[in-house]
Amino acid sequence: MTYLYQIYEWVYFPRIGFNFISLKVEMVSLVLISSLIWFVDAFKKMEETSFYVNPVFYIIAAFLLYFCSTFIVFVVTDYMKQYKMNIRGFYMIILYAALVLRITLLVVFWKASRIK
């Protein structure tokens, strides 16, 4: 629905262009809400003996960490630019979060492929 709205906005209001800010907010909120629902559902059922064995836990935790850290950085960036502060350190947070996400996904998929 988000992409259809963006296409509608692009077709009928071409001077404005795409509003990527609303896409970022919607993507982050979608990840946060779906992760929260998964965690609540997992703790209610308690079917798994340990979350350390479940690869889905690592995938959801990695995406949750990545989206939360990048969202905070993107929110603070405009404030930092306005007051001409150094924002290079905040972009390092994005780099480290992306690195943790990629390594976590690589390890999880590698372990999952070895089990089968």
Side-chain angles (χ1 to χ4, degrees):
M1 288 177 49
T2 302
Y3 290 112
L4 291 175
Y5 173 73
Q6 294 295 324
I7 290 172
Y8 167 78
E9 200 174 84
W10 181 57
V11 169
Y12 291 106
F13 305 105
R15 283 183 254 153
I16 298 172
F18 278 120
N19 188 2
F20 287 111
I21 293 172
S22 65
L23 272 177
K24 290 177 187 176
V25 169
E26 290 168 2
M27 291 288 278
V28 170
S29 62
L30 179 69
V31 168
L32 291 177
I33 291 169
S34 59
S35 298
L36 184 66
I37 289 171
W38 185 84
F39 276 115
V40 167
D41 189 43
F43 281 115
K44 278 185 181 177
K45 290 181 181 178
M46 288 303 259
E47 293 173 353
E48 293 289 328
T49 56
S50 175
F51 285 125
Y52 297 120
V53 180
N54 191 357
V56 177
F57 170 73
Y58 289 106
I59 293 171
I60 290 176
F63 276 116
L64 193 61
L65 175 73
Y66 174 74
F67 277 104
C68 285
S69 61
T70 56
F71 183 71
I72 291 169
V73 170
F74 287 135
V75 167
V76 173
T77 302
D78 289 334
Y79 174 78
M80 300 285 282
K81 284 181 182 179
Q82 182 180 5
Y83 291 103
K84 296 179 176 44
M85 300 173 100
N86 187 9
I87 58 174
R88 192 173 292 175
F90 282 107
Y91 285 114
M92 292 303 290
I93 294 172
I94 294 174
L95 178 70
Y96 291 137
L99 186 66
V100 167
L101 173 69
R102 302 301 193 267
I103 290 173
T104 304
L105 291 178
L106 181 70
V107 169
V108 166
F109 290 133
W110 175 67
K111 285 182 116 181
S113 69
R114 288 187 59 196
I115 292 173
K116 294 180 182 182

